[in-house]
Amino acid sequence: MKKLFACLMLLCSSVTNAAPVALPDSEQISLHSRHVGKDYRILVALPEAPPPPGGYPVVYVLDAELYFNTVVETLRIQSRRPQATGVVPALVIGIGYPEDENAIARRAVDYTPAPVAMPIPEMSAAMRTTGGGADAFIAFIDDELRPLIAARHPIDTRRQVIFGHSLGGLFVLHALFSKPSMFSHYIAASPSWWWNEAIMTQEMARFETLPANAAQGRALLLTVGEFEQKPSRFSDNMPGGMATLQKRRMVDNARELAARLQGSRGLLARLLEIEGENHLSSLPQAVNRGLRFGLAP
């Protein structure tokens, strides 16, 4: 045993050519937005399969720094056998920020329609007053990013999916309410409705006054973890504990939104409650089920 251990140590000590791992068939693009006035880091992952006659479906992923790789690898594994998994190959576009910028601060502006109405204990004074850049961010995606992707790759304009988690999920709902024809499938994972519930409720009410078929053929998946509003060992590690979870009403809000939006303006709305998971740990299942929801054959 000692000899084996010594050999393993010698092998480890001889490794001198370690290098970063790259994601195959992917690239990143630096794109300046005239609507927002700032730069974005766009990550692109190509499918392993050739494009179908109608072009690739496209999945837009917010918070690319966190979720791009997870979405890409989950999609690639499952899309190899669409008949068995219910997931077809697709182009994945991650929307992120330059590596030398504060992504937390940027997203708090881009993903929100207004400043926060329920500040959290660890939020800085600056972040309490920022927010409200969601409309400019929508314009960036619709007028600048999507035409760029369409010019570079064969895409299916009828199958356009957007995935966002937490504040990203809030933005997904804002995009649905503001421009329901922008995407075919909206996936809002654990949306932070509490950020400014009054503003979001007004937006939903305006959405409900649109023509009866304004969201016909569009679909929304809301996901939420069981322990986002329930006592557990996870709540002990959160600032404010259960009091914070109860104020945010993550599960109740998701249930109420799904019930109210189902059929509204022709929208298909579905709710996925993920058993045994919290705000962060529910993410892998939200990705998995979200891809099946948006990319069924």
Side-chain angles (χ1 to χ4, degrees), residues 2-204:
K2 290 182 178 180
K3 186 176 180 180
L4 175 60
F5 180 74
C7 290
L8 289 174
M9 291 299 294
L10 180 63
L11 178 62
C12 291
S13 64
S14 66
V15 175
T16 59
N17 59 340
V21 176
L23 189 66
D25 299 318
S26 62
E27 63 181 5
Q28 61 176 318
I29 304 167
S30 179
L31 182 60
H32 181 79
S33 170
R34 66 180 185 276
H35 287 289
V36 179
K38 294 188 176 182
D39 294 336
Y40 290 89
R41 186 166 66 105
I42 306 302
L43 308 181
V44 181
L46 296 170
E48 296 172 336
Y56 291 122
V58 184
V59 180
Y60 288 88
V61 181
L62 304 180
D63 285 315
E65 298 85 359
L66 300 175
Y67 308 135
F68 179 74
N69 286 13
T70 300
V71 173
V72 171
E73 294 297 351
T74 303
L75 173 58
R76 285 179 174 174
I77 290 171
Q78 298 202 53
S79 63
R80 290 169 186 162
R81 295 187 62 205
Q83 71 278 11
T85 63
V87 177
V88 300
L91 188 69
V92 180
I93 309 299
I95 307 175
Y97 303 103
E99 294 180 350
D100 59 349
E101 291 196 22
N102 185 337
I104 294 176
R106 287 280 305 270
R107 73 194 291 272
V109 177
D110 283 347
Y111 298 171
T112 61
V116 64
M118 188 192 298
I120 56 181
E122 67 269 28
M123 186 178 290
S124 67
M127 284 188 65
R128 290 169 189 259
T129 58
T130 59
D135 287 335
F137 189 56
I138 285 178
F140 159 66
I141 296 173
D142 207 25
D143 297 343
E144 300 176 85
L145 178 56
R146 296 213 301 180
L148 174 68
I149 299 305
R152 293 168 64 93
H153 303 284
I155 65 168
D156 183 354
T157 58
R158 301 164 301 173
R159 187 90 69 101
Q160 302 275 300
V161 183
I162 184 168
F163 176 92
H165 173 257
S166 195
L167 279 186
L170 181 73
F171 174 80
V172 168
L173 292 172
H174 174 75
L176 170 65
F177 297 152
S178 304
K179 205 165 187 178
S181 62
M182 188 171 174
F183 298 96
S184 61
H185 294 77
Y186 296 79
I187 303 169
S190 300
S192 298
W193 187 260
W194 56 267
W195 179 270
N196 200 313
E197 184 172 352
I199 294 294
M200 292 304 298
T201 301
Q202 292 173 16
E203 290 190 1
M204 181 164 55

